[in-house]
Amino acid sequence: MERFSEELGRAGCEVSLSLQPHVTGRWDRARLEQALTHLLSNAAKFGARRPIRLLVSQGGGTARLVVEDQGIGVSPEALERIFGRFERAVPTQEYGGLGLGLFLTRQIVEAHGGSIHVTSRPGEGATFVLELPASPPGSYMAGPAPWPHPPADSHPT
């Protein structure tokens, strides 16, 4: 949130956070930050000057991230299509973008064994729900990460 605060400020979006402590899992932090950045960027773009809610919780073996805006919303026929590569629910000339953010977000979430869905109605905003397999506190460090990264000092041969 701190890294994204400037963009949210320019968009005039106030963000309220509801964070359950100790939400844990075996996830690639950089990729999840990328997914969250796509969701927050869309919320700021399509809900400029309106509040955004971000909720993080865990229960029943699932971690949940919810990003809710009060923007222009998504038409029913575009709800699934917006997760496709180069797909958009609005004209490019009005809002810009390549139509890759939600596609990449879905790819990241599914690579972690999770899912993402959206509920929305035109003119009433959108709610994106990202669900990931969670783990009990303290166990998230066991085992390999979903995307192993080479050590910083290693070089490909």
Side-chain angles (χ1 to χ4, degrees):
M1 287 300 303
E2 287 178 24
R3 282 188 245 156
F4 211 70
S5 64
E6 190 174 313
E7 184 173 337
L8 291 167
R10 279 194 308 271
C13 295
E14 184 177 311
V15 178
S16 66
L17 299 172
S18 176
L19 307 173
Q20 177 184 335
H22 310 295
V23 175
T24 58
R26 290 177 42 219
W27 310 308
D28 183 314
R29 180 180 181 152
R31 297 296 172 255
L32 288 184
E33 285 180 9
Q34 182 182 11
L36 179 58
T37 296
H38 290 305
L39 294 175
L40 286 173
S41 177
N42 281 352
K45 183 190 313 185
F46 299 115
R49 294 173 304 283
R50 296 188 182 109
I52 298 170
R53 286 183 10 154
L54 177 64
L55 301 96
V56 177
S57 62
Q58 182 172 337
T62 301
R64 176 179 276 192
L65 168 70
V66 178
V67 177
E68 180 181 292
D69 69 56
Q70 297 176 19
I72 64 171
V74 181
S75 67
E77 59 273 2
L79 285 175
E80 274 304 309
R81 183 173 51 83
I82 60 174
F83 291 104
R85 187 181 306 193
F86 304 117
E87 290 290 341
R88 304 179 43 79
V90 295
T92 304
Q93 61 272 24
E94 287 183 46
Y95 288 96
L98 298 173
L100 287 173
L102 292 176
F103 170 77
L104 293 171
T105 297
R106 177 172 268 177
Q107 296 296 307
I108 291 166
V109 170
E110 290 178 352
H112 283 82
S115 64
I116 184 169
H117 66 275
V118 59
T119 56
S120 181
R121 290 185 13 182
E124 297 182 14
T127 301
F128 287 86
V129 179
L130 185 154
E131 295 180 316
L132 297 168
S135 58
S139 67
Y140 66 96
M141 294 301 285
W147 281 290
H149 297 283
D153 60 346
S154 70
H155 300 280
T157 54

